[in-house]
């Protein structure tokens, strides 16, 4: 019941959790490119996605509201990486004269899965996951971990060539 104090308190706490992961994400967005240049962008992205996936899945099991702030750190790191690292990897492999064209196509591959998830997750949650609100979070976490592991298959030749030159 949206008119109850408990509902209002829960909504306020979701705001605190959202602020936490957004703050972590904003700060991490400055750190990840530096870390990626010193190590490997693919490894940084994979690590962030795996940590974010584990963090997101854990939200489905945590019952203490204060403890829910811990996975927001991992989710914030994953979000920062999602918004920066794939573009950095892509830019390094594009011909400059076609950059706008390819970035536009890349954005389709960012938006289309979001729209598809918005359309299908309701029925999937209701029919396959038993309407338990924690299960979609676990499914999302598993998908992030899989995405992180698939990052190992990404070709980041520009970064690898730069690292070879530094050695």
């Amino acid at each position: 019941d949206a008119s109850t104090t408990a509902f209002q308190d829960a909504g306020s706490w979701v705001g605190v959790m959202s602020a936490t992961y957004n703050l972590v994400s904003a700060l991490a967005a400055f750190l990840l490119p530096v870390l990626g240049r010193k190590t490997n962008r693919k490894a940084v992205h994979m690590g962030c996605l795996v940590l974010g996936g584990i963090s997101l899945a854990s939200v489905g099991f945590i019952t203490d509201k204060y403890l829910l702030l811990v996975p927001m750190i991992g989710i914030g790191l994953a979000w920062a990486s999602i918004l920066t690292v794939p573009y950095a990897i892509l830019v390094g492999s594009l011909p400059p004269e076609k950059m706008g064209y390819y970035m536009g196509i890349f954005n389709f591959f960012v938006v289309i899965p979001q729209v598809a998830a918005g359309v299908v997750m309701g029925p999937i949650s209701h029919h396959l996951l038993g309407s338990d609100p924690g299960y979609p979070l676990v499914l999302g976490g598993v998908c992030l971990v899989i995405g992180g592991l698939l990052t190992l298959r990404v070709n980041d030749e520009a970064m690898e060539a730069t690292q070879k030159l530094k050695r």
Side-chain angles (χ1 to χ4, degrees):
D1 181 8
S3 65
T4 65
T5 303
F7 186 90
Q8 298 301 320
D9 290 346
S12 294
W13 191 250
V14 167
V16 170
M17 290 171 28
S18 179
T20 301
Y21 92 76
N22 278 297
L23 178 64
V24 168
S25 181
L27 295 174
F30 293 104
L31 176 67
L32 293 179
V34 173
L35 190 58
R37 278 192 300 274
K38 290 188 182 219
T39 59
N40 177 309
R41 292 186 292 214
K42 291 186 330 183
V44 168
H45 192 53
M46 180 190 73
C48 288
L49 290 182
V50 169
L51 179 62
I54 293 167
S55 297
L56 184 62
S58 74
V59 171
F61 302 103
I62 296 173
T63 57
D64 180 83
K65 77 178 194 175
Y66 297 104
L67 192 54
L68 282 170
L69 292 175
V70 174
M72 294 303 114
I73 296 167
I75 293 168
L77 287 171
W79 188 239
S81 186
I82 289 166
L83 294 177
T84 59
V85 178
Y87 293 97
I89 292 171
L90 180 64
V91 165
S93 66
L94 292 177
E97 66 277 0
K98 298 228 177 184
M99 178 125 9
Y101 174 76
Y102 287 115
M103 290 297 267
I105 291 172
F106 182 74
N107 279 322
F108 281 118
F109 289 97
V110 171
V111 173
I112 291 170
Q114 291 175 344
V115 172
V119 171
V120 301
M121 276 312 294
I124 287 174
S125 180
H126 180 71
H127 296 293
L128 298 177
L129 302 177
S131 296
D132 184 314
Y135 292 151
L137 295 171
V138 173
L139 177 61
V142 169
C143 289
L144 273 173
V145 169
I146 292 169
L149 296 174
L150 288 173
T151 301
L152 295 173
R153 296 187 46 130
V154 171
N155 185 350
D156 193 6
E157 289 177 12
M159 183 65 165
E160 292 163 5
T162 303
Q163 288 176 335
K164 283 181 185 176
L165 287 175
K166 288 181 181 178
R167 292 181 201 151

